[in-house]
Amino acid sequence: MGRLKLQSGIKAIEEEPEDCESANSPQFAIGCMINSEIGAVLAVMRRNVRWGGRYMSGDDQLEHSLIQSLKALRRQIFSWQHQWHSMNPTVYLQPFLDVIRSDETGAPITGVALSSVYKILTLDVLDLNTVNVEDAMHLVVDAVTSCRFEVTDPASEEVVLMKILQVLLACLKSKASVMLSNQHVCTIVNTCFRVVHQAGTKGELLQRIARHTMHELVRCIFSHLQDVDNTECSLVTRGSSIKQDVGGMDNNYSLGTKSLENGNGTSEYDGQPSSVSFSSNAAGGLVTAVMDENILASGNGKDAISYDMQLMTEPYGVPCMVEIFHFLCSLLNVVEHMGMGPRSNTIAFDEDVPLFALGLINSAIELGGPSIRRHPRLLSLVQDELFRNLMQFGLSMSPLILSMVCSVVLSLYHHLRSELKLQLEAFFSCVILRLAQGRYGASYQQQEVAMEALVDFCRQKAFMVEMYANLDCDITCSNVFEDLANLLSKSAFPVNCPLSAMHILALDGLIAVIQGMAERISNGSVSLEHGPVTLEEYTPFWMVKCDNYSDPDHWVPFVRRRKYIKRRLMIGADHFNRDPKKGLEFLQGTHLLPDKLDPQSVACFFRYTAGLDKNLVGDFLGNHDEFCVQVLHEFAGTFDFQDMNLDTALRLFLETFRLPGESQKIQRVLEAFSERYYEQSPQILANKDAALLLSYSLIMLNTDQHNVQVKKKMTEEDFIRNNRHINGGNDLPREFLSELYHAICKNEIRTTPEQGSGFPEMTPSRWIDLMHKSNKTAPFIVSDSRAHLDRDMFAIMSGPTIAAISVVFDHAELEDVYQTCIDGFLAVAKISACHHLEDVLDDLVVSLCKFTTLVTPSSGEEPVLAFGDNTKARMATVTVFTIANRYGDFIRAGWRNILDCILKLHKLGLLPARVASDAADDSEISSEPGHGKPLTNSLSSAHMAPMGTPRRSSGLMGRFSQLLSLDTEEPRLQPTEQQLAAHQRTLQTIQKCHIDSIFTESKFLQADSLLQLARALIWAAGRPQKGNSSPEDEDTAVFCLELLIAITLNNRDRIGLLWQGVYEHISNIVQSTVMPCALVEKAVFGLLRICQRLLPYKENLADELLRSLQLVLKLDARVADAYCEQITQEVSRLVKANATHIRSQMGWRTITSLLSITARHPEASEAGFDALLFIMSEGAYLMPANYVLCVDAARQFAESRVGQADRSVRALDLMAGSVACLARWAQEAKEAMGEAEAVKTCQDIGEMWLRLVQGLRKVCLDQREEVRNHALLSLQMCLTGVDGVHLPHGLWLQCFDLVIFTVLDDLLEIAQGHSQKDYRNMEGTLVLALKLLSKVFLQLLHELLQLTTFCKLWLGVLSRMEKYLKVKVRGKRSEKLQELVPELLKNTLLVMKTKGVLVQRTALGGDSLWELTWLHVNNIAPSLQSGVFPDQESMQSLPNQGETGESLVSNGNNSAPNEQ
């Protein structure tokens, strides 16, 4: 029969879906459905003898009322014409509900009736528009929760219980559920929990279903919380019986043990069918919870939060939720009597109930969420009772419970953290930090669960910021952020053990925190830089609050200041612990205490500063000194003992310092305590003396009970007797004293509190204190997504973090762990860069470079293959260069390590060819072919031979094939597939590094970083040594120099920053090199290229740049000779490109020196002359600053016998042509300047001209006839073609003395003293020289006459003519000269006569010129006097003769060119 019942139950369940589908059918279908349900119930009833017999026997007895009502409903059902919504649901529900309520029906009948009700509830018939729906819902709940039935067998009973759960859940899920009252919802939950409890002795399926239903109920109820208006207050005011203040609930639950009556609880199966009934408890009462064998009732009586009946009958809302939540919290109270210390780790009861309760609480919080804070009663439960229980269970030995507790706290953090500041601090300090460290006897599983929970918190982006802002920056709270960060970095460190899951877990947490910071940088507000905090003077700061905790502009500076103060206080505490007096003086010096100490500030220092030595504080407070007594009373005044038990208050007070040993000190301390306690919590005490005596009595009891040396312990009676008549002469209530006695016996008051920074355990007295503090603590700061405090936080954790990530990276063997570490490194780099923490970035770079294996390569295996096979090294290498490229601005010392890696790659031949290129156009760089060696500007030719060349293994493939050949004589082996793959991986890695962009993009680097990069390159290149460096060292030095030149060229706008270092480096190379080599070549041509490229842009540096080229002049002769041609080509190029940018004499001196040197170099002279030609042709780039220098250089080319004589002639033409420039400048000066300036300029121009003609004079003595003669003609041109230049008269005298006479004398000497072989055809040269003398003298006669020494000059001319007449060339006199001298002399005399220079004067002494002239002339040609001055017979003919003379002179002038 039991089996059949079960089948019918199953059948009913199976039918549900089909019937549910009829919900949308027309009215008739609903009628049919209800009809079929009536039929199903009746059918089952008929199978029972009791109902079936009575119905079938045809005697006169009436049918049972249950059957009658069902039949009556059946008769009506098809006759109803109205819509179902307008029908009163009670009519068609009542018959079924009667069956459910009846205790005469058996389990199968009740089960079918419940199925029918469930089916009706799941139709859309019952909703808010249905008539009288509220009563109907209440009827259903009342009937189902007081369901009675006879138990015949266990299976059918389970079916009924399951269906009860089904119907109750359907009630809460239906659309009409909002009509249920608070009372009914409580009853539903109560009933459901009782089924859960009963299911403990039943089948597994029922247990699971009951628990699931309970979860669903809680979810349904609390999801409704967000829709409930905050009407609790208005409801409460109606109820007269609710007197309690929301904040002051009494949450001490008495745990009594009762046995439930059989009819009210479990059924006993003793063969007799027993009746099971569920009767609802009193209003608002919730359930009895059963654990183990005991049945513990969470008090429903005086301790429960009671609402009046009127409130409980309102539509359900906050009141029922408070009841339910309170009940769920009370399920966790079962271990309260076991205390909260570490001893509670030995909780030895079934973890089932707490887990179940925690799961329900978590559901409630997940769905109630932030709405809880709108309802003070609910919030108060969460803040106090729930959190207190969570703290207890957090230390449970069961990892399952701990895990669940952590989930609940995470939910609470997410939704309600702003209301749970101190609770969260306590949870992390007393639970997570204690367990995760593995101390205090925590198992590995507990440790792991605690660490997992912590990592979950770390993954909440704002978590660490909020911990830091709210707790670390609060003087009265512990440094939770710092402790958690330290815990994570320590836990990630594998110390003498392999890497475990725990290490990786801690690393995940660390990296989550770091990545959170990195993400916040992207959200802006990093610019909100704060300067360092300083304290100028003391201001009371202990209880200061911020003006606005929601505006970062207010709270960020506020919390930074608080953190600064907190740090200084810690230092102060350290000083105090060593010497209290000096400690207080130190704090005064740092403005943390006033200059004149006041009791309140010292009391606050003792009360709120962590890390103080509690013995010293106790001694200070117990001191009889008046100031110390004042401090003691102020200290007591900082405690809040409101509504606190005396023993709790005393515990709190004595936790903050060590009670001194002397009785007088104890007396003073307890007096201060009693005064404060009586002031706040008088309760039943008559006066403060009563408080003092009782406190003393408690201390004595404590010593008596807990001191091992006391053998005879005080009894309760002794204690009560000792405290007679202390309350103002009266006795204190016996219960009061008894309670105190037991509290002290159970739990010692520790008069020697623990020292140090261990994580405290949460005691009941501490919890009460925490609840008091939480009312006064500063509001919780909710962080936005910007990086307000990240710099400060990162500064605290960066060192340990880099160390931890590095150690894990070092020990790791899995690629996903590598990747996690790399993500961490990149995040650290980003934060360091954005917050300008250069030291941190350098540390990171140093750390990473070690992992590239490039700095310290492994010995043995071939490096390229080893690198290709080493994933870790490749990842580290890519990361190093990613950081260098992204965050190079903030690298300082780290550049040296990065360069070490680059140099190693260079030595292995793994660098791309253009690493050292300078991002210039190729056309600018390419050197002209066919002129010696091409200049290498990139590594393409200097270091990276193409793949086919046999050069040292610098090309990648060359390197590879070389390393695979076993010996040079043996045939080369084909590389294996693994080797090829490794090689390929190496190539791809180097490609990803983008090493070249470090240098090509260096123009974007910040100045400091750029300077450090340049210094690192110079450092890496090493000091050049004379002649004994190895090829490898030289290769490195060349490469570094190339890179240095590349960054110099890329940073032409900042050349001033780099120039000094670059110049000194090149200078060292040039001056220490004695033989041609690649390094000096690179140095010299690099210098030339820098000058070439930078001159157009840096006029202010032009002199500096050009002066640097003097280094080329300092080259060792062998080196200079080797590179002379290329140097000259470069200088030539430099001049052609930048002639207009070279302005100073110094600059030109350097250029012309370099060009002059080439005049005598066979290969280089052509390019040198080409450059000079460019400057001097038509005076293109001549200027006063370079005139003399260029003329001098041209002279050197004219004198040089390297090359054809033709070039010397061209050089002379350049010199002669430059006179035009002098004339032009003189004209410009005349037009543009004032008279005085013009005179000065003319003097300067005269000097230049004199240097020009002196230069030509030297060339006139050249051995080569062609050059010599051309030089004389050029000199003549320069002497006669200076009409435009108004030369001072004195200059002409110098010119005759230094140039004209000297050249004539020198030529004469050469003609007489040297053989014809050396100087060919000197005769022609002498003729030209004499003509030059005559012509210049006559042309300048007018100017020369102005000279006082004209006579001397004229005699000099005559004496030269006389010498030339007598000269012997090749041993005999020259016919040409014999003819020319008299003719020229005659011509000269005639002109002088005509000009009136040569006249016989009658005055005394006036005939000296006349006489001296004829004295000399007669030595040359005696007949000339009569020829020029015939007898003075006819003075009339003189004018004609004058004309003749003039014509002679003119002829002479005109003929001179012809003779040339």
Side-chain angles (χ1 to χ4, degrees), residues 34 73 80 84-97 120-121 125-127 129-137 139-140 176:
I34 291 177
L73 177 59
W80 288 333
W84 282 94
H85 283 294
S86 58
M87 291 287 303
N88 183 349
T90 317
V91 177
Y92 52 82
L93 281 171
Q94 192 69 57
F96 295 105
L97 299 178
I120 293 168
L121 284 173
V125 179
L126 295 180
D127 59 23
N129 302 321
T130 309
V131 179
N132 204 24
V133 70
E134 188 174 356
D135 290 348
M137 292 299 288
L139 272 173
V140 171

Side-chain angles (χ1 to χ4, degrees), residues 560-585:
R560 290 186 80 245
R561 184 181 168 81
R562 303 296 280 178
K563 182 63 181 171
Y564 172 80
I565 291 171
K566 191 173 182 179
R567 278 209 184 99
R568 305 297 294 175
L569 281 172
M570 299 302 283
I571 299 167
D574 196 40
H575 282 278
F576 179 86
N577 292 346
R578 277 179 277 172
D579 183 334
K581 190 179 173 194
K582 284 185 181 167
L584 294 177
E585 283 169 7

Side-chain angles (χ1 to χ4, degrees), residues 15-23 25-41 74 77-78 84 92-93 96 115-125:
E15 287 167 1
E16 280 171 24
E18 295 163 28
D19 292 326
C20 284
E21 284 172 17
S22 67
S25 305
Q27 189 157 343
F28 178 73
I30 295 175
C32 287
M33 193 279 294
I34 291 177
N35 184 49
S36 69
E37 289 306 315
I38 296 167
V41 174
R74 199 176 219 174
I77 211 159
F78 293 111
W84 282 94
Y92 52 82
L93 281 171
F96 295 105
S115 287
S116 303
V117 173
Y118 174 74
K119 206 170 277 188
I120 293 168
L121 284 173
T122 53
L123 297 178
D124 276 343
V125 179

Side-chain angles (χ1 to χ4, degrees), residues 41-222:
V41 174
L42 288 173
V44 178
M45 290 176 85
R46 287 193 190 104
R47 295 169 79 173
N48 190 297
V49 177
R50 183 195 300 175
W51 307 101
R54 190 179 293 184
Y55 175 62
M56 282 156 54
S57 64
D59 52 15
D60 299 334
Q61 263 186 316
L62 290 170
E63 289 172 331
H64 194 283
S65 59
L66 293 178
I67 291 180
Q68 278 183 343
S69 60
L70 284 166
K71 288 187 172 177
L73 177 59
R74 199 176 219 174
R75 279 197 295 277
Q76 294 174 351
I77 211 159
F78 293 111
S79 60
W80 288 333
Q81 300 302 317
H82 303 292
Q83 286 290 327
W84 282 94
H85 283 294
S86 58
M87 291 287 303
N88 183 349
T90 317
V91 177
Y92 52 82
L93 281 171
Q94 192 69 57
F96 295 105
L97 299 178
D98 290 341
V99 173
I100 291 167
R101 278 175 183 273
S102 168
D103 52 3
E104 295 174 42
T105 51
I109 301 169
T110 309
V112 177
L114 284 165
S115 287
S116 303
V117 173
Y118 174 74
K119 206 170 277 188
I120 293 168
L121 284 173
T122 53
L123 297 178
D124 276 343
V125 179
L126 295 180
D127 59 23
L128 296 178
N129 302 321
T130 309
V131 179
N132 204 24
V133 70
E134 188 174 356
D135 290 348
M137 292 299 288
H138 290 170
L139 272 173
V140 171
V141 172
D142 288 341
V144 175
T145 53
S146 53
C147 163
R148 293 162 183 273
F149 59 92
E150 286 180 355
V151 176
T152 51
D153 66 306
S156 57
E157 182 194 358
E158 285 186 29
V159 171
V160 173
L161 291 176
M162 190 179 75
K163 291 194 174 179
I164 288 172
L165 296 172
Q166 209 175 29
V167 173
L168 292 177
L169 185 57
C171 285
L172 263 180
K173 284 192 168 177
S174 85
K175 290 178 182 173
S177 64
V178 291
M179 306 307 292
L180 291 170
S181 69
N182 285 304
Q183 173 62 56
H184 282 96
V185 172
C186 287
T187 307
I188 289 173
V189 174
N190 187 18
T191 306
C192 187
F193 186 77
R194 291 170 70 180
V195 174
V196 170
H197 159 55
Q198 287 200 12
T201 58
K202 308 273 191 295
E204 181 74 15
L205 183 63
L206 179 63
Q207 283 183 36
R208 294 292 169 89
I209 288 173
R211 285 173 179 240
H212 173 73
T213 308
M214 191 78 181
H215 267 284
E216 287 299 304
L217 288 176
V218 169
R219 292 176 71 82
C220 280
I221 294 163
F222 280 88

Side-chain angles (χ1 to χ4, degrees), residues 1049-1313:
L1049 292 174
N1050 274 321
N1051 288 279
R1052 63 185 186 208
D1053 298 329
R1054 297 187 286 181
I1055 183 68
L1057 187 70
L1058 300 172
W1059 179 245
Q1060 192 58 35
V1062 174
Y1063 174 73
E1064 283 174 10
H1065 183 56
I1066 290 177
S1067 172
N1068 285 337
I1069 293 170
V1070 167
Q1071 292 179 6
S1072 64
T1073 310
V1074 290
M1075 292 300 285
C1077 63
L1079 180 60
V1080 75
E1081 178 186 353
K1082 182 56 66 181
V1084 171
F1085 294 120
L1087 186 62
L1088 283 163
R1089 271 180 59 227
I1090 291 172
C1091 291
Q1092 271 183 40
R1093 295 274 295 285
L1094 298 184
L1095 274 175
Y1097 303 103
K1098 291 283 161 193
E1099 291 190 6
N1100 56 336
L1101 264 177
D1103 283 359
E1104 192 79 29
L1105 290 167
L1106 291 166
R1107 188 182 294 124
S1108 71
L1109 291 179
Q1110 291 175 0
L1111 283 177
V1112 179
L1113 302 172
K1114 295 179 185 173
L1115 281 170
D1116 183 275
R1118 284 167 290 191
V1119 179
D1121 190 52
Y1123 301 121
C1124 194
E1125 183 182 1
Q1126 290 131 290
I1127 292 173
T1128 313
Q1129 285 172 1
E1130 287 301 307
V1131 173
S1132 174
R1133 222 173 278 162
L1134 172 78
V1135 169
K1136 288 178 180 175
N1138 301 299
T1140 51
H1141 302 294
I1142 306 171
R1143 302 262 162 82
S1144 73
Q1145 191 169 1
M1146 199 285 305
W1148 279 111
R1149 178 172 288 118
T1150 308
I1151 294 291
T1152 52
S1153 303
L1154 287 167
L1155 294 178
S1156 302
I1157 289 172
T1158 64
R1160 289 179 176 74
H1161 195 283
E1163 286 94 23
S1165 59
E1166 191 60 45
F1169 186 69
D1170 188 42
L1172 192 64
L1173 204 58
F1174 175 77
I1175 299 167
M1176 294 183 70
S1177 288
E1178 297 169 13
Y1181 295 103
L1182 281 176
M1183 55 186 82
N1186 70 1
Y1187 184 83
V1188 173
L1189 298 164
C1190 290
V1191 164
D1192 198 46
R1195 177 185 64 75
Q1196 295 204 33
F1197 273 101
E1199 289 177 341
S1200 166
R1201 302 192 67 164
V1202 172
Q1204 300 297 317
D1206 182 43
R1207 192 169 68 203
S1208 298
V1209 171
R1210 281 159 70 205
L1212 290 167
D1213 288 343
L1214 288 178
M1215 293 171 78
S1218 68
V1219 174
C1221 288
L1222 297 177
R1224 189 173 76 240
W1225 295 338
Q1227 188 59 35
E1228 286 167 2
K1230 202 172 172 186
E1231 290 167 4
M1233 300 180 187
E1235 195 174 329
E1237 286 179 20
V1239 169
K1240 171 81 175 71
T1241 308
C1242 280
Q1243 278 179 346
D1244 293 343
I1245 290 172
E1247 288 292 325
M1248 292 180 217
W1249 173 79
L1250 189 59
R1251 294 291 292 270
L1252 168 68
V1253 292
Q1254 281 179 311
L1256 284 167
R1257 174 189 71 76
K1258 291 179 184 171
V1259 189
C1260 291
L1261 310 178
D1262 197 279
Q1263 283 188 324
R1264 294 165 296 173
E1265 179 190 3
E1266 188 186 345
V1267 175
R1268 191 169 65 233
N1269 293 351
H1270 197 75
L1272 279 166
L1273 293 173
S1274 300
L1275 179 61
Q1276 181 176 316
M1277 199 174 100
C1278 293
L1279 292 168
T1280 58
V1282 284
D1283 300 343
V1285 186
H1286 301 288
L1287 299 172
H1289 306 308
L1291 201 63
W1292 283 114
L1293 185 61
Q1294 273 181 290
C1295 176
F1296 267 88
D1297 283 346
L1298 299 176
V1299 180
I1300 299 172
F1301 290 161
T1302 311
V1303 82
L1304 263 72
D1305 294 350
D1306 290 350
L1307 284 170
L1308 201 61
E1309 192 181 323
I1310 289 168
Q1312 290 172 328

